Short mmCIF file of all heavy atoms in Angstrom, two decimals:
data_model
loop_
_atom_site.label_atom_id
_atom_site.label_comp_id
_atom_site.label_asym_id
_atom_site.label_seq_id
_atom_site.Cartn_x
_atom_site.Cartn_y
_atom_site.Cartn_z
N MET A 3 63.23 -94.02 -52.25
CA MET A 3 63.60 -95.16 -51.41
C MET A 3 62.88 -95.08 -50.06
O MET A 3 62.95 -94.07 -49.39
CB MET A 3 65.12 -95.18 -51.21
CG MET A 3 65.59 -96.59 -51.35
SD MET A 3 67.25 -97.04 -50.88
CE MET A 3 68.24 -95.64 -50.79
N SER A 4 62.20 -96.10 -49.71
CA SER A 4 61.50 -96.08 -48.43
C SER A 4 62.33 -96.77 -47.36
O SER A 4 63.07 -97.71 -47.65
CB SER A 4 60.14 -96.77 -48.56
OG SER A 4 60.33 -98.10 -48.94
N GLU A 5 62.15 -96.30 -46.16
CA GLU A 5 62.90 -96.89 -45.06
C GLU A 5 62.32 -98.25 -44.72
O GLU A 5 61.11 -98.40 -44.57
CB GLU A 5 62.81 -95.97 -43.85
CG GLU A 5 64.18 -95.76 -43.22
CD GLU A 5 64.13 -94.73 -42.12
OE1 GLU A 5 64.18 -93.53 -42.43
OE2 GLU A 5 64.02 -95.13 -40.97
N LYS A 6 63.17 -99.19 -44.58
CA LYS A 6 62.69 -100.54 -44.30
C LYS A 6 62.66 -100.78 -42.79
O LYS A 6 63.65 -100.56 -42.11
CB LYS A 6 63.62 -101.56 -44.97
CG LYS A 6 62.98 -102.92 -45.06
CD LYS A 6 63.87 -103.86 -45.87
CE LYS A 6 63.20 -105.22 -46.03
NZ LYS A 6 63.24 -106.01 -44.80
N VAL A 7 61.50 -101.19 -42.34
CA VAL A 7 61.38 -101.52 -40.92
C VAL A 7 61.89 -102.93 -40.71
O VAL A 7 61.53 -103.84 -41.46
CB VAL A 7 59.90 -101.41 -40.47
CG1 VAL A 7 59.78 -101.74 -38.98
CG2 VAL A 7 59.37 -100.02 -40.74
N ILE A 8 62.71 -103.05 -39.72
CA ILE A 8 63.25 -104.39 -39.46
C ILE A 8 62.24 -105.22 -38.67
O ILE A 8 61.83 -104.85 -37.58
CB ILE A 8 64.57 -104.28 -38.66
CG1 ILE A 8 65.61 -103.52 -39.48
CG2 ILE A 8 65.09 -105.70 -38.32
CD1 ILE A 8 66.80 -103.05 -38.69
N GLN A 9 61.86 -106.32 -39.26
CA GLN A 9 60.92 -107.22 -38.62
C GLN A 9 61.71 -108.31 -37.92
O GLN A 9 62.65 -108.86 -38.48
CB GLN A 9 60.00 -107.83 -39.68
CG GLN A 9 59.24 -106.80 -40.48
CD GLN A 9 57.80 -106.67 -40.04
OE1 GLN A 9 57.10 -107.64 -39.87
NE2 GLN A 9 57.36 -105.43 -39.86
N LYS A 10 61.29 -108.60 -36.73
CA LYS A 10 61.96 -109.65 -35.97
C LYS A 10 61.02 -110.80 -35.75
O LYS A 10 59.81 -110.63 -35.67
CB LYS A 10 62.45 -109.07 -34.64
CG LYS A 10 63.55 -108.03 -34.84
CD LYS A 10 63.77 -107.20 -33.61
CE LYS A 10 62.72 -106.13 -33.39
NZ LYS A 10 62.89 -104.93 -34.22
N HIS A 11 61.59 -111.97 -35.65
CA HIS A 11 60.78 -113.16 -35.51
C HIS A 11 60.48 -113.43 -34.05
O HIS A 11 61.38 -113.69 -33.26
CB HIS A 11 61.53 -114.35 -36.14
CG HIS A 11 60.74 -115.60 -36.13
ND1 HIS A 11 59.77 -115.88 -37.06
CD2 HIS A 11 60.75 -116.65 -35.27
CE1 HIS A 11 59.24 -117.06 -36.79
NE2 HIS A 11 59.80 -117.54 -35.71
N CYS A 12 59.20 -113.35 -33.70
CA CYS A 12 58.80 -113.59 -32.32
C CYS A 12 58.85 -115.09 -32.02
O CYS A 12 58.30 -115.90 -32.76
CB CYS A 12 57.39 -113.04 -32.08
SG CYS A 12 56.74 -113.47 -30.47
N GLY A 13 59.53 -115.42 -30.95
CA GLY A 13 59.68 -116.83 -30.58
C GLY A 13 58.45 -117.43 -29.93
O GLY A 13 58.38 -118.64 -29.74
N ILE A 14 57.48 -116.60 -29.59
CA ILE A 14 56.27 -117.12 -28.95
C ILE A 14 55.17 -117.36 -29.98
O ILE A 14 54.68 -118.47 -30.12
CB ILE A 14 55.76 -116.14 -27.87
CG1 ILE A 14 56.84 -115.85 -26.82
CG2 ILE A 14 54.48 -116.68 -27.23
CD1 ILE A 14 57.07 -116.94 -25.82
N CYS A 15 54.79 -116.32 -30.71
CA CYS A 15 53.70 -116.49 -31.68
C CYS A 15 54.25 -116.83 -33.06
O CYS A 15 53.50 -117.14 -33.97
CB CYS A 15 52.83 -115.23 -31.73
SG CYS A 15 53.68 -113.77 -32.35
N GLU A 16 55.58 -116.75 -33.21
CA GLU A 16 56.24 -117.12 -34.45
C GLU A 16 55.82 -116.27 -35.63
O GLU A 16 55.71 -116.75 -36.76
CB GLU A 16 56.00 -118.61 -34.75
CG GLU A 16 56.13 -119.46 -33.51
CD GLU A 16 57.13 -120.59 -33.65
OE1 GLU A 16 57.27 -121.09 -34.78
OE2 GLU A 16 57.77 -120.94 -32.66
N LYS A 17 55.58 -114.97 -35.35
CA LYS A 17 55.25 -114.05 -36.43
C LYS A 17 56.34 -112.99 -36.51
O LYS A 17 57.10 -112.79 -35.58
CB LYS A 17 53.90 -113.38 -36.15
CG LYS A 17 52.73 -114.32 -36.34
CD LYS A 17 51.45 -113.65 -35.92
CE LYS A 17 50.31 -114.67 -35.88
NZ LYS A 17 49.21 -114.23 -35.02
N GLU A 18 56.38 -112.30 -37.64
CA GLU A 18 57.34 -111.22 -37.80
C GLU A 18 56.74 -109.94 -37.26
O GLU A 18 55.69 -109.51 -37.71
CB GLU A 18 57.70 -111.05 -39.28
CG GLU A 18 58.18 -112.31 -39.96
CD GLU A 18 59.47 -112.86 -39.36
OE1 GLU A 18 60.39 -112.07 -39.15
OE2 GLU A 18 59.53 -114.07 -39.11
N LYS A 19 57.41 -109.35 -36.27
CA LYS A 19 56.90 -108.14 -35.63
C LYS A 19 57.99 -107.09 -35.53
O LYS A 19 59.18 -107.39 -35.54
CB LYS A 19 56.37 -108.47 -34.23
CG LYS A 19 55.21 -109.44 -34.19
CD LYS A 19 53.94 -108.78 -34.70
CE LYS A 19 52.79 -109.76 -34.76
NZ LYS A 19 52.03 -109.84 -33.53
N GLU A 20 57.52 -105.82 -35.41
CA GLU A 20 58.48 -104.71 -35.29
C GLU A 20 58.83 -104.40 -33.84
O GLU A 20 59.96 -104.08 -33.52
CB GLU A 20 57.91 -103.45 -35.93
CG GLU A 20 57.74 -103.57 -37.43
CD GLU A 20 56.80 -102.49 -37.95
OE1 GLU A 20 56.71 -101.43 -37.32
OE2 GLU A 20 56.15 -102.72 -38.99
N ASP A 21 57.80 -104.43 -32.99
CA ASP A 21 58.00 -104.00 -31.61
C ASP A 21 58.05 -105.18 -30.66
O ASP A 21 57.29 -106.13 -30.80
CB ASP A 21 56.84 -103.08 -31.17
CG ASP A 21 56.74 -101.86 -32.07
OD1 ASP A 21 57.79 -101.24 -32.32
OD2 ASP A 21 55.64 -101.56 -32.53
N GLY A 22 58.93 -105.06 -29.69
CA GLY A 22 59.02 -106.12 -28.70
C GLY A 22 60.28 -106.00 -27.89
O GLY A 22 60.99 -104.99 -27.95
N ILE A 23 60.55 -107.02 -27.13
CA ILE A 23 61.73 -107.02 -26.27
C ILE A 23 62.60 -108.22 -26.59
O ILE A 23 62.12 -109.22 -27.14
CB ILE A 23 61.34 -107.05 -24.78
CG1 ILE A 23 60.41 -108.23 -24.47
CG2 ILE A 23 60.69 -105.73 -24.36
CD1 ILE A 23 60.35 -108.60 -23.02
N PHE A 24 63.85 -108.11 -26.20
CA PHE A 24 64.75 -109.24 -26.34
C PHE A 24 65.07 -109.81 -24.97
O PHE A 24 65.38 -109.08 -24.03
CB PHE A 24 66.06 -108.79 -27.00
CG PHE A 24 66.00 -108.85 -28.49
CD1 PHE A 24 65.76 -107.71 -29.23
CD2 PHE A 24 66.17 -110.07 -29.15
CE1 PHE A 24 65.70 -107.77 -30.62
CE2 PHE A 24 66.11 -110.13 -30.54
CZ PHE A 24 65.88 -108.97 -31.26
N LEU A 25 64.92 -111.10 -24.88
CA LEU A 25 65.39 -111.82 -23.71
C LEU A 25 66.56 -112.65 -24.21
O LEU A 25 66.36 -113.62 -24.90
CB LEU A 25 64.30 -112.76 -23.18
CG LEU A 25 63.26 -112.16 -22.23
CD1 LEU A 25 62.23 -113.21 -21.89
CD2 LEU A 25 63.92 -111.65 -20.97
N TYR A 26 67.76 -112.20 -23.87
CA TYR A 26 68.94 -112.82 -24.45
C TYR A 26 68.84 -112.72 -25.97
O TYR A 26 68.61 -111.64 -26.49
CB TYR A 26 69.11 -114.25 -23.93
CG TYR A 26 69.10 -114.27 -22.43
CD1 TYR A 26 67.92 -114.50 -21.73
CD2 TYR A 26 70.26 -113.98 -21.71
CE1 TYR A 26 67.91 -114.47 -20.34
CE2 TYR A 26 70.25 -113.93 -20.33
CZ TYR A 26 69.07 -114.17 -19.65
OH TYR A 26 69.04 -114.11 -18.30
N HIS A 27 68.91 -113.82 -26.66
CA HIS A 27 68.84 -113.79 -28.12
C HIS A 27 67.41 -113.99 -28.62
O HIS A 27 67.15 -114.06 -29.80
CB HIS A 27 69.73 -114.90 -28.69
CG HIS A 27 69.33 -116.25 -28.19
ND1 HIS A 27 69.67 -116.68 -26.92
CD2 HIS A 27 68.58 -117.22 -28.74
CE1 HIS A 27 69.15 -117.90 -26.76
NE2 HIS A 27 68.49 -118.24 -27.84
N PHE A 28 66.49 -114.08 -27.68
CA PHE A 28 65.12 -114.48 -27.97
C PHE A 28 64.23 -113.25 -28.05
O PHE A 28 64.19 -112.46 -27.12
CB PHE A 28 64.67 -115.40 -26.84
CG PHE A 28 63.40 -116.16 -27.09
CD1 PHE A 28 63.44 -117.40 -27.72
CD2 PHE A 28 62.18 -115.66 -26.67
CE1 PHE A 28 62.28 -118.13 -27.91
CE2 PHE A 28 61.01 -116.39 -26.87
CZ PHE A 28 61.07 -117.62 -27.49
N PHE A 29 63.52 -113.09 -29.16
CA PHE A 29 62.65 -111.93 -29.32
C PHE A 29 61.22 -112.26 -28.96
O PHE A 29 60.69 -113.29 -29.37
CB PHE A 29 62.73 -111.42 -30.76
CG PHE A 29 61.79 -110.26 -31.04
CD1 PHE A 29 62.08 -109.00 -30.55
CD2 PHE A 29 60.65 -110.45 -31.80
CE1 PHE A 29 61.22 -107.93 -30.80
CE2 PHE A 29 59.79 -109.39 -32.06
CZ PHE A 29 60.07 -108.13 -31.56
N ILE A 30 60.61 -111.37 -28.18
CA ILE A 30 59.20 -111.51 -27.83
C ILE A 30 58.50 -110.23 -28.25
O ILE A 30 58.89 -109.15 -27.83
CB ILE A 30 59.01 -111.74 -26.32
CG1 ILE A 30 59.72 -113.03 -25.89
CG2 ILE A 30 57.52 -111.81 -25.97
CD1 ILE A 30 59.71 -113.24 -24.38
N CYS A 31 57.50 -110.34 -29.10
CA CYS A 31 56.81 -109.15 -29.57
C CYS A 31 55.98 -108.55 -28.45
O CYS A 31 55.66 -109.21 -27.46
CB CYS A 31 55.95 -109.47 -30.79
SG CYS A 31 54.46 -110.41 -30.44
N SER A 32 55.62 -107.28 -28.62
CA SER A 32 54.94 -106.58 -27.53
C SER A 32 53.58 -107.20 -27.21
O SER A 32 53.13 -107.17 -26.07
CB SER A 32 54.78 -105.09 -27.86
OG SER A 32 54.32 -104.91 -29.17
N GLU A 33 52.94 -107.77 -28.19
CA GLU A 33 51.66 -108.43 -27.94
C GLU A 33 51.83 -109.66 -27.05
O GLU A 33 51.08 -109.88 -26.10
CB GLU A 33 51.02 -108.86 -29.26
CG GLU A 33 50.36 -107.70 -29.99
CD GLU A 33 50.05 -108.07 -31.44
OE1 GLU A 33 49.43 -109.11 -31.66
OE2 GLU A 33 50.46 -107.31 -32.33
N CYS A 34 52.82 -110.45 -27.37
CA CYS A 34 53.07 -111.65 -26.57
C CYS A 34 53.56 -111.27 -25.18
O CYS A 34 53.20 -111.92 -24.20
CB CYS A 34 54.09 -112.55 -27.26
SG CYS A 34 53.42 -113.34 -28.72
N GLU A 35 54.35 -110.22 -25.12
CA GLU A 35 54.84 -109.77 -23.83
C GLU A 35 53.66 -109.42 -22.93
O GLU A 35 53.61 -109.79 -21.77
CB GLU A 35 55.74 -108.55 -24.04
CG GLU A 35 56.46 -108.11 -22.79
CD GLU A 35 56.94 -106.68 -22.86
OE1 GLU A 35 56.91 -106.07 -23.93
OE2 GLU A 35 57.31 -106.16 -21.80
N LYS A 36 52.70 -108.71 -23.51
CA LYS A 36 51.50 -108.32 -22.76
C LYS A 36 50.73 -109.56 -22.32
O LYS A 36 50.23 -109.65 -21.21
CB LYS A 36 50.61 -107.45 -23.65
CG LYS A 36 50.48 -106.01 -23.13
CD LYS A 36 49.54 -105.20 -23.99
CE LYS A 36 50.30 -104.32 -24.97
NZ LYS A 36 49.44 -103.72 -26.00
N GLU A 37 50.62 -110.50 -23.23
CA GLU A 37 49.89 -111.73 -22.91
C GLU A 37 50.54 -112.50 -21.78
O GLU A 37 49.88 -113.04 -20.91
CB GLU A 37 49.80 -112.62 -24.16
CG GLU A 37 48.59 -112.29 -24.99
CD GLU A 37 48.14 -113.51 -25.78
OE1 GLU A 37 47.73 -114.49 -25.15
OE2 GLU A 37 48.24 -113.48 -27.01
N ILE A 38 51.86 -112.54 -21.82
CA ILE A 38 52.58 -113.25 -20.77
C ILE A 38 52.34 -112.59 -19.43
O ILE A 38 52.07 -113.25 -18.43
CB ILE A 38 54.10 -113.29 -21.09
CG1 ILE A 38 54.35 -114.19 -22.30
CG2 ILE A 38 54.89 -113.78 -19.89
CD1 ILE A 38 55.75 -114.08 -22.87
N VAL A 39 52.41 -111.28 -19.43
CA VAL A 39 52.19 -110.53 -18.19
C VAL A 39 50.78 -110.77 -17.65
O VAL A 39 50.57 -110.86 -16.44
CB VAL A 39 52.45 -109.02 -18.44
CG1 VAL A 39 52.00 -108.19 -17.25
CG2 VAL A 39 53.92 -108.77 -18.72
N ASN A 40 49.81 -110.88 -18.57
CA ASN A 40 48.42 -111.02 -18.14
C ASN A 40 47.98 -112.46 -17.93
O ASN A 40 46.86 -112.70 -17.52
CB ASN A 40 47.50 -110.37 -19.18
CG ASN A 40 47.65 -108.86 -19.19
OD1 ASN A 40 47.83 -108.24 -18.14
ND2 ASN A 40 47.60 -108.26 -20.36
N THR A 41 48.86 -113.40 -18.24
CA THR A 41 48.49 -114.79 -18.08
C THR A 41 48.85 -115.26 -16.68
O THR A 41 49.95 -115.04 -16.21
CB THR A 41 49.22 -115.65 -19.13
OG1 THR A 41 48.89 -115.18 -20.42
CG2 THR A 41 48.80 -117.11 -19.01
N LYS A 42 47.90 -115.90 -16.05
CA LYS A 42 48.13 -116.36 -14.69
C LYS A 42 48.33 -117.87 -14.67
O LYS A 42 47.84 -118.58 -15.54
CB LYS A 42 46.93 -115.98 -13.82
CG LYS A 42 46.89 -114.49 -13.60
CD LYS A 42 45.58 -114.02 -13.01
CE LYS A 42 45.50 -112.51 -13.04
NZ LYS A 42 45.47 -111.96 -14.43
N PRO A 43 49.07 -118.33 -13.67
CA PRO A 43 49.26 -119.77 -13.54
C PRO A 43 47.92 -120.48 -13.52
O PRO A 43 46.99 -120.04 -12.85
CB PRO A 43 49.98 -119.92 -12.19
CG PRO A 43 50.67 -118.61 -11.99
CD PRO A 43 49.78 -117.58 -12.64
N GLY A 44 47.80 -121.56 -14.26
CA GLY A 44 46.55 -122.28 -14.32
C GLY A 44 45.82 -122.03 -15.63
O GLY A 44 45.02 -122.85 -16.06
N GLU A 45 46.09 -120.90 -16.27
CA GLU A 45 45.48 -120.66 -17.57
C GLU A 45 46.20 -121.50 -18.62
O GLU A 45 47.38 -121.80 -18.49
CB GLU A 45 45.56 -119.16 -17.93
CG GLU A 45 44.62 -118.32 -17.07
CD GLU A 45 44.64 -116.85 -17.46
OE1 GLU A 45 45.06 -116.52 -18.56
OE2 GLU A 45 44.24 -116.04 -16.60
N SER A 46 45.46 -121.81 -19.67
CA SER A 46 46.00 -122.77 -20.63
C SER A 46 47.25 -122.26 -21.34
O SER A 46 48.14 -123.03 -21.68
CB SER A 46 44.92 -123.14 -21.65
OG SER A 46 44.41 -121.97 -22.25
N ASN A 47 47.32 -120.96 -21.55
CA ASN A 47 48.48 -120.40 -22.24
C ASN A 47 49.74 -120.44 -21.38
O ASN A 47 50.85 -120.45 -21.90
CB ASN A 47 48.23 -118.93 -22.60
CG ASN A 47 47.33 -118.77 -23.79
OD1 ASN A 47 47.13 -119.72 -24.55
ND2 ASN A 47 46.77 -117.60 -23.97
N TYR A 48 49.53 -120.44 -20.09
CA TYR A 48 50.66 -120.23 -19.18
C TYR A 48 51.74 -121.29 -19.34
O TYR A 48 52.92 -120.97 -19.42
CB TYR A 48 50.12 -120.20 -17.74
CG TYR A 48 51.18 -119.82 -16.73
CD1 TYR A 48 51.47 -118.47 -16.50
CD2 TYR A 48 51.86 -120.79 -16.00
CE1 TYR A 48 52.43 -118.12 -15.57
CE2 TYR A 48 52.82 -120.44 -15.07
CZ TYR A 48 53.10 -119.10 -14.85
OH TYR A 48 54.05 -118.76 -13.94
N GLN A 49 51.31 -122.53 -19.39
CA GLN A 49 52.28 -123.62 -19.51
C GLN A 49 53.09 -123.51 -20.80
O GLN A 49 54.27 -123.80 -20.82
CB GLN A 49 51.57 -124.98 -19.45
CG GLN A 49 51.10 -125.35 -18.05
CD GLN A 49 52.23 -125.31 -17.03
OE1 GLN A 49 53.33 -125.78 -17.27
NE2 GLN A 49 51.96 -124.72 -15.88
N MET A 50 52.41 -123.05 -21.84
CA MET A 50 53.09 -122.90 -23.12
C MET A 50 54.15 -121.81 -23.03
O MET A 50 55.27 -121.97 -23.50
CB MET A 50 52.04 -122.57 -24.20
CG MET A 50 52.58 -122.56 -25.60
SD MET A 50 53.12 -120.91 -26.13
CE MET A 50 51.55 -120.12 -26.43
N PHE A 51 53.79 -120.70 -22.40
CA PHE A 51 54.75 -119.61 -22.24
C PHE A 51 55.93 -120.05 -21.40
O PHE A 51 57.09 -119.80 -21.74
CB PHE A 51 54.08 -118.40 -21.57
CG PHE A 51 53.11 -117.65 -22.46
CD1 PHE A 51 51.92 -117.17 -21.95
CD2 PHE A 51 53.41 -117.42 -23.79
CE1 PHE A 51 51.02 -116.48 -22.74
CE2 PHE A 51 52.53 -116.73 -24.60
CZ PHE A 51 51.34 -116.26 -24.07
N VAL A 52 55.62 -120.70 -20.30
CA VAL A 52 56.68 -121.13 -19.39
C VAL A 52 57.65 -122.07 -20.10
O VAL A 52 58.87 -121.94 -19.98
CB VAL A 52 56.08 -121.81 -18.14
CG1 VAL A 52 57.16 -122.48 -17.30
CG2 VAL A 52 55.34 -120.79 -17.29
N LYS A 53 57.07 -122.96 -20.87
CA LYS A 53 57.88 -123.92 -21.60
C LYS A 53 58.81 -123.23 -22.60
O LYS A 53 60.00 -123.52 -22.70
CB LYS A 53 56.95 -124.88 -22.35
CG LYS A 53 57.48 -126.29 -22.46
CD LYS A 53 56.37 -127.18 -22.98
CE LYS A 53 56.93 -128.34 -23.78
NZ LYS A 53 55.88 -129.05 -24.50
N LYS A 54 58.25 -122.28 -23.32
CA LYS A 54 59.05 -121.56 -24.31
C LYS A 54 60.13 -120.71 -23.64
O LYS A 54 61.25 -120.63 -24.10
CB LYS A 54 58.15 -120.66 -25.17
CG LYS A 54 57.21 -121.46 -26.04
CD LYS A 54 57.01 -120.80 -27.38
CE LYS A 54 56.11 -121.65 -28.26
NZ LYS A 54 56.32 -121.39 -29.69
N LEU A 55 59.73 -120.06 -22.55
CA LEU A 55 60.68 -119.19 -21.87
C LEU A 55 61.78 -119.99 -21.20
O LEU A 55 62.92 -119.55 -21.12
CB LEU A 55 59.95 -118.33 -20.83
CG LEU A 55 59.05 -117.25 -21.46
CD1 LEU A 55 58.13 -116.64 -20.41
CD2 LEU A 55 59.87 -116.16 -22.12
N ARG A 56 61.45 -121.18 -20.73
CA ARG A 56 62.46 -122.03 -20.11
C ARG A 56 63.51 -122.45 -21.12
O ARG A 56 64.68 -122.61 -20.80
CB ARG A 56 61.81 -123.29 -19.54
CG ARG A 56 61.45 -123.06 -18.10
CD ARG A 56 61.35 -124.36 -17.35
NE ARG A 56 60.57 -124.10 -16.14
CZ ARG A 56 59.45 -124.74 -15.84
NH1 ARG A 56 59.00 -125.70 -16.60
NH2 ARG A 56 58.81 -124.44 -14.74
N ALA A 57 63.07 -122.59 -22.35
CA ALA A 57 63.99 -123.00 -23.40
C ALA A 57 65.00 -121.90 -23.69
O ALA A 57 66.09 -122.17 -24.18
CB ALA A 57 63.21 -123.36 -24.66
N ILE A 58 64.64 -120.67 -23.38
CA ILE A 58 65.55 -119.55 -23.64
C ILE A 58 66.74 -119.63 -22.70
O ILE A 58 67.89 -119.53 -23.10
CB ILE A 58 64.86 -118.20 -23.38
CG1 ILE A 58 63.58 -118.09 -24.20
CG2 ILE A 58 65.81 -117.05 -23.71
CD1 ILE A 58 62.72 -116.92 -23.75
N ASN A 59 66.42 -119.74 -21.45
CA ASN A 59 67.48 -119.77 -20.47
C ASN A 59 67.04 -120.60 -19.29
O ASN A 59 66.15 -120.24 -18.56
CB ASN A 59 67.85 -118.36 -20.03
CG ASN A 59 69.10 -118.35 -19.21
OD1 ASN A 59 69.21 -119.01 -18.18
ND2 ASN A 59 70.09 -117.62 -19.67
N GLN A 60 67.66 -121.71 -19.13
CA GLN A 60 67.20 -122.68 -18.15
C GLN A 60 67.48 -122.28 -16.72
O GLN A 60 66.80 -122.70 -15.81
CB GLN A 60 67.84 -124.03 -18.44
CG GLN A 60 67.73 -124.40 -19.90
CD GLN A 60 67.10 -125.76 -20.10
OE1 GLN A 60 67.33 -126.68 -19.33
NE2 GLN A 60 66.31 -125.91 -21.12
N SER A 61 68.48 -121.46 -16.52
CA SER A 61 68.88 -121.22 -15.13
C SER A 61 68.52 -119.83 -14.61
O SER A 61 68.01 -119.70 -13.52
CB SER A 61 70.38 -121.46 -14.99
OG SER A 61 71.07 -120.66 -15.92
N SER A 62 68.75 -118.78 -15.39
CA SER A 62 68.68 -117.46 -14.76
C SER A 62 67.42 -116.69 -15.05
O SER A 62 67.25 -115.58 -14.58
CB SER A 62 69.89 -116.63 -15.18
OG SER A 62 69.87 -116.43 -16.56
N TYR A 63 66.50 -117.27 -15.79
CA TYR A 63 65.25 -116.56 -16.00
C TYR A 63 64.09 -117.39 -15.50
O TYR A 63 63.89 -118.52 -15.94
CB TYR A 63 65.04 -116.23 -17.48
CG TYR A 63 63.81 -115.36 -17.70
CD1 TYR A 63 63.88 -113.99 -17.50
CD2 TYR A 63 62.60 -115.93 -18.07
CE1 TYR A 63 62.76 -113.20 -17.68
CE2 TYR A 63 61.48 -115.13 -18.25
CZ TYR A 63 61.56 -113.77 -18.05
OH TYR A 63 60.45 -112.99 -18.22
N THR A 64 63.32 -116.85 -14.59
CA THR A 64 62.13 -117.55 -14.13
C THR A 64 60.94 -116.62 -14.27
O THR A 64 61.07 -115.43 -14.05
CB THR A 64 62.27 -118.01 -12.68
OG1 THR A 64 62.79 -116.94 -11.92
CG2 THR A 64 63.18 -119.21 -12.56
N LEU A 65 59.83 -117.18 -14.63
CA LEU A 65 58.63 -116.38 -14.82
C LEU A 65 57.93 -116.20 -13.49
O LEU A 65 57.67 -117.17 -12.81
CB LEU A 65 57.73 -117.09 -15.85
CG LEU A 65 56.60 -116.24 -16.42
CD1 LEU A 65 57.15 -115.09 -17.23
CD2 LEU A 65 55.70 -117.10 -17.29
ZN1 LIG B 12 54.61 -112.70 -30.57
#
């Protein structure tokens, strides 16, 4: 019997990943987390991230 790795659904890239963080009930894989950190305002990805993250929690989380 092999140990099953639990895959979680990343809310940003929408892929199943093992590693990442949880923001409330929302899972962000480590790759997306890195991308978010490295994305600066004005870059095309940024608005997408902000939009998705805003949907998680409208009041207490700001990027
Ligand atoms: Zn992801």
Side-chain angles (χ1 to χ4, degrees):
M3 222 191 342
S4 61
E5 227 173 277
K6 196 173 183 286
V7 181
I8 298 165
Q9 302 258 312
K10 293 165 283 281
H11 184 81
C12 173
I14 303 284
C15 65
E16 318 235 328
K17 287 174 190 158
E18 306 297 314
K19 298 288 176 89
E20 294 163 27
D21 301 313
I23 54 161
F24 272 99
L25 275 176
Y26 306 94
H27 59 282
F28 193 88
F29 177 74
I30 299 174
C31 73
S32 46
E33 282 166 51
C34 289
E35 188 200 349
K36 245 183 260 169
E37 272 207 64
I38 291 169
V39 170
N40 291 323
T41 302
K42 290 167 190 65
E45 289 183 20
S46 55
N47 283 343
Y48 187 83
Q49 286 305 316
M50 187 268 285
F51 288 140
V52 170
K53 214 169 150 191
K54 293 216 178 204
L55 290 168
R56 268 203 199 122
I58 305 167
N59 190 303
Q60 311 234 323
S61 55
S62 63
Y63 186 81
T64 46
L65 194 65

